Amino acid sequence: MSRFEQLLQGRLPKLVMFDLDGTLIDSVPDLAVAVEAMLLKLGRPPAGIENVRLWIGNGAPMLVRRALASNMEGSGVDDTEAELALEIFMEAYDGGHEHTKVYPGVHESLKWLQKQGVEMALITNKPERFVAPLLDELKLGRFFRWIVGGDTMPQKKPDPAALLFVMKMAGTTPAQSMFIGDSRNDVLAAKAAGVRCVALSYGYNHGRPIEEESPDMVIGNLQELIAGCLDSAPEITLGNSVSSSRRDSIVVVTRKLWMKVIKALARWRWRA
């Protein structure tokens, strides 16, 4: 029995939702390069990769404010300067992701879930424009039916709106769903949505142990969730990757459709 089934009373989830940065990929090196390019252009001192590692997780605008303020609060930053800095950062980060790597065990775990017929979604606070191209580069996009970026909806994690939206689109209940992430934002969003949460210990939780957030399970490698299941399962050959144009359309459709279901989600969210 997989650990997925252990969490859901002997059943596999019908839907597994994933965070991206710090969960499936290590993107800190490229984010740090973009932050340093932004600071250099603005005549600011460099931040250092370890500071960037602490600052990420709440979306690009907050990362930029933290870099300008050189603290976690991002306080005391002029709004006009922050807007200019964000434009510079986005342009710099758009230049490439050659230093971003997929964590060990990710491909194997996603392939196994796909073989079991489990639907998968990606919910990230990373700006939407970067997500599909990055997934293409890393050969991950074919696994996800739904992609929600940090600016796809008005709310970002830890707000559960994106999780509730995807469950609505997938036709699943919280009891049939699961969220996998690496940070406090992910755990809070999962709890607010009423779904089980698995947390990766290697991620970007602002320098704090993820155990402090009390997820349902903490693991050090995504493949721990399917330990013992791969030996007896034959290797599968996946079909052609979903084209980037199709996945782009899924993101765009998500942006267009969320307004149509937000009232229903609100009723679901606050239902006694």
Side-chain angles (χ1 to χ4, degrees), residues 8 21 33 47-48 91 125 226 246 256 262:
L8 294 179
D21 300 83
V33 168
E91 182 178 355
N125 281 348
I226 56 173
R246 183 184 171 198
K256 289 179 179 178
I262 197 67

Side-chain angles (χ1 to χ4, degrees), residues 58 86 126 135 146 169:
N58 297 96
L86 181 60
K126 184 185 288 294
L135 292 175
W146 298 279
M169 295 291 288

